[in-house]
Amino acid sequence: MPGFIQVVYYYFFSSQVRRSVVYGDEPRNRLDLYIPTSTTGLKPVVAFVTGGAWIIGYKGWGALLGRRLAERGIIVACIDYRNFPQGTISDMVEDVSQGISFVCNNISSYGGDPNRIYLVGQSAGAHIATCALLNQAIRECGEGDTSSWSVSQIKAYFGISGGYNLLNLVDHFHRRGLYRSIFLSIMEGEESLQKFSPQVMIKESSARSAVPLLPHIILFHGTSDHSIPPAESQAFVDALQQHGAKADLFLYEGKTHTDLFLQDPLRGGRDKMLEEIASVIHSEDLDKSADHMVVPAARRLVPEFMLKLAGRVSPF
């Protein structure tokens, strides 16, 4: 709670945060922007899709990530989307795709560089973002694609603690409390699981020509993640590499499902995953003396004993 209070205060009162920018017609078609304090030059951009078990996702969950990346000179757009039962998986993928389109076409108005856009998804958001990215690549391989963004506009994709083969996860989620009947309703029935499983999709003949269009895919997963097993990321990276995509996996020993996204940023100090993301994003910077190169260590927001206690009671 002490850490959350500080993040909530930042979210509602910081001049760096522009909340609820409209990107579509649905009530949940909103995104939050986190703007770096430095106004020199165009900034690289992250379009972020938060998790929430497809039921409790909310753009505000990205406040801590947005703050940390903005401190490194990166604009962050946290995309909201319809949750179940407002919508099912196809609605979520449609919303996220529309949000990505808004970022690609409008971010220059907020000081962002339209030629340096990166996509990040976390947990269920990693699954939704991957589906949106792959579906767009498949459309671009077909005829008559009229979408307003292109996979080529995404420089790299970062997936945090995601699940990419729903066929393997139905029973696992059921045992964890996301019951089979609810999960299948979210995913539009058992017959649709394959359609929304990126690891399965890339093996189909209709998607093989789309795989080379995908950007560099970098996945992060904790080895002690019990909500979505790290084997999910490993299997997806293996499948991508087998089909000619550029993909890498970073496994973090002893980290849980929420450590990478929540506890580690709250700890302050050196955050290995955020540093990895920032280093990839800034690798193409011409000005190596930019502000992000000398970012001071983040301040700890929560005492360690509180984080460990929270880890014991967290359902994730």
Side-chain angles (χ1 to χ4, degrees), residues 68-126:
R68 294 293 185 238
L69 290 180
E71 290 171 349
R72 291 162 169 80
I74 301 166
I75 293 177
V76 180
C78 292
I79 300 170
D80 213 354
Y81 54 89
R82 281 171 282 182
N83 283 198
F84 182 81
Q86 285 179 309
T88 55
I89 185 61
S90 59
D91 299 314
M92 301 176 199
V93 173
E94 178 185 348
D95 286 352
V96 166
S97 182
Q98 194 172 354
I100 295 170
S101 175
F102 179 90
V103 172
C104 288
N105 290 289
N106 296 278
I107 203 61
S108 59
S109 301
Y110 301 92
D113 187 345
N115 296 313
R116 288 190 294 166
I117 297 175
Y118 300 80
L119 181 61
V120 179
Q122 183 261 336
S123 191

Side-chain angles (χ1 to χ4, degrees), residues 290-307:
D291 293 341
H292 69 270
M293 301 298 290
V294 289
V295 173
R299 180 173 59 88
R300 175 182 280 275
L301 299 180
V302 181
E304 187 63 25
F305 82 90
M306 287 187 177
L307 289 174

Side-chain angles (χ1 to χ4, degrees), residues 213-230:
L213 299 181
L214 296 175
H216 185 191
I217 293 177
I218 303 169
L219 304 185
F220 305 101
H221 223 118
T223 60
S224 295
D225 188 337
H226 301 296
S227 294
I228 300 179

Side-chain angles (χ1 to χ4, degrees), residues 115-116 118 155 279-288:
N115 296 313
R116 288 190 294 166
Y118 300 80
K155 301 288 288 183
S279 67
V280 172
I281 292 174
H282 287 305
S283 62
E284 296 186 5
D285 285 354
L286 297 178
D287 181 9
K288 295 301 181 182

Side-chain angles (χ1 to χ4, degrees), residues 38-282:
S38 170
T39 57
T40 305
L42 294 176
K43 307 298 182 185
V45 182
V46 159
F48 174 67
V49 186
T50 187
W54 301 273
I55 298 173
I56 58 170
Y58 178 60
K59 58 187 174 61
W61 304 160
L64 193 52
L65 179 79
R67 179 179 182 175
R68 294 293 185 238
L69 290 180
E71 290 171 349
R72 291 162 169 80
I74 301 166
I75 293 177
V76 180
C78 292
I79 300 170
D80 213 354
Y81 54 89
R82 281 171 282 182
N83 283 198
F84 182 81
Q86 285 179 309
T88 55
I89 185 61
S90 59
D91 299 314
M92 301 176 199
V93 173
E94 178 185 348
D95 286 352
V96 166
S97 182
Q98 194 172 354
I100 295 170
S101 175
F102 179 90
V103 172
C104 288
N105 290 289
N106 296 278
I107 203 61
S108 59
S109 301
Y110 301 92
D113 187 345
N115 296 313
R116 288 190 294 166
I117 297 175
Y118 300 80
L119 181 61
V120 179
Q122 183 261 336
S123 191
H127 167 255
I128 297 167
T130 305
C131 286
L133 190 64
L134 186 53
N135 285 349
Q136 179 60 26
I138 292 172
R139 282 196 292 267
E140 289 179 20
C141 289
E143 295 181 2
D145 177 57
T146 58
S147 62
S148 56
W149 69 284
S150 170
V151 171
S152 63
Q153 292 175 274
I154 307 300
K155 301 288 288 183
Y157 169 69
F158 303 93
I160 306 169
S161 308
Y164 308 99
N165 188 346
L166 302 184
L167 298 169
N168 292 340
L169 291 171
V170 179
D171 292 336
H172 174 78
F173 286 153
H174 183 80
R175 291 191 296 269
R176 298 285 300 174
L178 180 53
Y179 298 122
R180 183 183 183 91
S181 59
I182 297 174
F183 184 66
L184 291 180
S185 295
I186 296 170
M187 297 302 159
E188 302 172 3
E190 193 163 4
E191 65 279 0
S192 294
L193 292 178
Q194 185 167 324
K195 176 183 175 184
F196 292 104
S197 294
Q199 183 186 329
V200 177
M201 292 168 63
I202 63 173
K203 298 177 182 179
E204 297 177 353
S205 57
S206 58
R208 285 175 188 165
S209 57
V211 173
L213 299 181
L214 296 175
H216 185 191
I217 293 177
I218 303 169
L219 304 185
F220 305 101
H221 223 118
T223 60
S224 295
D225 188 337
H226 301 296
S227 294
I228 300 179
E232 278 290 301
S233 289
Q234 182 67 70
F236 188 39
V237 163
D238 290 343
L240 285 165
Q241 291 174 344
Q242 290 171 8
H243 289 80
K246 184 180 181 182
D248 293 294
L249 172 64
F250 290 84
L251 293 174
Y252 294 91
E253 190 66 32
K255 298 296 184 180
T256 67
H257 189 66
T258 57
D259 271 330
L260 300 178
F261 178 68
L262 183 59
Q263 285 96 319
D264 284 353
L266 286 172
R267 283 188 172 97
R270 182 170 178 259
D271 189 318
K272 291 183 179 179
M273 187 191 73
L274 281 181
E275 288 183 4
E276 185 62 41
I277 292 174
S279 67
V280 172
I281 292 174
H282 287 305

